[in-house]
């Protein structure tokens, strides 16, 4: 198993850890395709400790998002076991919230009503309306509570998606390239906002990205997946830098080179 090795700087400034302990034991996964069976993951062993931010890095199509779906409980692994705080993950649960690349907001619902969706579905909205206001405040959208999705920028829409996740006080935030469709300047700003939310709330985070700089800027650890199917863990990089991080830090440049080497792209550096 790949164990989490936290540097003294990791999680610096975070809230008391309330995040989930995620254990992935010997997970392999296959899909049925017209030509037979396609294996996408091979014997993945990984642990995410409470309050840790882990990034899965690899090229498109290598199996990163599949692993996230298994952790989220959206489908079962073909073989192996995934647990949260010692209990087998068998189905989706409000303690694990997925934030996708597309905010998937309902256009006919206001920002407030979109954020309230999870509480409404669980039948607790009337008793916990204040949590919606609090979540909007945490992402800086209080003044846009009555706005509709078509009135928002891409970055604002993704902040609504984050608020919709945070209103449930998740133990684990599962992030499937949530900033992938944003322009570069908005993406940089949102990366900092995401770190701030994670530090303040203390949840565990598991991020999928194919952006090397994003993985290194956000995570305590970066897990590099192989670029050939079925995906295996090719390397683990401990990002031994405090927060807030500075993109020009020479250590980040070293780690970037190392990550690109494991991806077979270091000749471009």
């Amino acid at each position: 198993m790949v164990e989490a090795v936290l540097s003294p700087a990791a999680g610096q400034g975070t809230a008391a850890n309330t995040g989930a302990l995620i254990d992935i034991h010997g997970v392999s996964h296959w899909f049925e395709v017209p030509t037979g069976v396609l294996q996408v993951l091979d014997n993945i062993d990984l642990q995410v400790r409470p309050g840790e931010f882990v990034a899965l890095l690899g090229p498109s199509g290598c199996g990163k998002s599949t692993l996230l779906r298994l952790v989220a409980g959206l489908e079962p692994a073909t073989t192996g076991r995934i647990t949260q705080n010692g209990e087998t993950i068998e189905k989706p649960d409000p303690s694990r919230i997925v934030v996708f690349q597309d905010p998937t907001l309902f256009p006919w619902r206001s920002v407030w009503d979109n954020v309230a969706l999870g509480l409404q579905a669980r039948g607790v909205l009337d008793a916990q309306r204040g949590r919606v206001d609090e979540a909007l405040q945490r992402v800086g959208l209080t003044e846009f509570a009555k706005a509709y999705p078509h009135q928002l920028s891409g970055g604002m829409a993704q902040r609504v998606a984050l608020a919709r996740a945070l209103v449930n006080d998740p133990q684990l935030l599962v992030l499937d390239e949530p900033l992938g469709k944003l322009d570069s300047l908005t993406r940089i700003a949102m990366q900092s906002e995401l770190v701030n939310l994670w530090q303040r709330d203390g949840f565990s985070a598991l991020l999928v990205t194919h952006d090397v700089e994003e993985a290194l800027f956000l995570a305590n650890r970066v897990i590099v997946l192989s670029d050939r199917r079925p995906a295996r863990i090719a390397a683990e990089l401990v990002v031994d830098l405090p927060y807030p991080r500075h993109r020009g830090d020479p250590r980040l440049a070293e780690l970037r080179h190392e990550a690109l080497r494991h991806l077979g792209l270091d000749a471009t550096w």
Side-chain angles (χ1 to χ4, degrees):
M1 173 179 291
V2 177
E3 295 286 347
V5 182
L6 298 184
S7 69
Q12 180 178 356
T14 59
N17 284 343
T18 57
L21 171 64
I22 302 296
D23 280 303
I24 302 170
H25 299 278
V27 165
S28 298
H29 197 63
W30 289 264
F31 288 122
E32 291 188 6
V33 295
T35 55
V37 176
L38 176 67
Q39 185 176 2
V40 292
L41 298 171
D42 183 34
N43 197 32
I44 302 294
D45 285 313
L46 178 64
Q47 184 181 83
V48 180
R49 289 184 177 174
E52 189 183 14
F53 201 128
V54 174
L56 300 175
L57 177 65
S60 296
C62 76
K64 304 183 302 296
S65 293
T66 296
L67 184 56
L68 281 199
R69 290 180 60 82
L70 302 182
V71 171
L74 297 176
E75 58 185 286
T78 306
T79 63
R81 185 171 182 240
I82 304 176
T83 63
Q84 176 177 326
N85 303 329
E87 299 293 328
T88 300
I89 294 175
E90 297 179 332
K91 59 183 179 179
D93 187 87
S95 66
R96 298 183 304 277
I97 302 295
V98 184
V99 179
F100 295 102
Q101 187 177 87
D102 189 329
T104 60
L105 305 179
F106 290 107
W108 60 87
R109 296 178 71 109
S110 69
V111 165
W112 196 96
D113 288 331
N114 267 284
V115 174
L117 191 61
L119 299 180
Q120 185 179 31
R122 290 158 53 198
V124 297
L125 179 58
D126 288 344
Q128 301 183 18
R129 296 179 66 86
R131 290 174 60 179
V132 179
D133 298 323
E134 180 185 351
L136 287 171
Q137 183 179 22
R138 283 149 77 185
V139 299
L141 288 178
T142 299
E143 296 181 358
F144 292 87
K146 295 182 179 180
Y148 286 84
H150 74 273
Q151 298 172 308
L152 306 177
S153 67
M156 292 169 69
Q158 199 57 274
R159 279 193 276 163
V160 176
L162 284 170
R164 185 176 57 191
L166 296 174
V167 77
N168 294 287
D169 289 329
Q171 294 183 33
L172 175 69
L173 208 57
V174 180
L175 302 159
D176 193 357
E177 300 195 59
L179 311 181
K181 289 187 176 180
L182 302 179
D183 65 85
S184 59
L185 295 180
T186 303
R187 185 167 185 160
I188 288 172
M190 285 292 296
Q191 287 169 357
S192 296
E193 290 186 27
L194 186 54
V195 168
N196 291 337
L197 289 169
W198 164 67
Q199 288 188 303
R200 183 166 54 195
D201 288 17
F203 51 78
S204 304
L206 185 60
L207 167 75
V208 152
T209 183
H210 58 264
D211 185 314
V212 175
E213 287 82 3
E214 180 169 271
L216 295 172
F217 184 78
L218 293 174
N220 299 138
R221 283 189 301 144
V222 176
I223 307 301
V224 183
L225 296 182
S226 61
D227 59 354
R228 296 182 180 179
R229 291 195 187 99
R232 301 176 178 87
I233 293 178
E236 172 189 346
L237 306 180
V238 176
V239 188
D240 49 353
L241 290 169
Y243 298 91
R245 291 174 179 166
H246 301 282
R247 297 175 194 275
D249 193 304
R251 177 58 178 154
L252 280 183
E254 292 176 6
L255 288 167
R256 180 179 185 271
H257 192 196
E258 186 176 353
L260 289 173
R261 178 173 61 82
H262 288 296
L263 293 167
L265 298 171
D266 53 322
T268 65
W269 175 250

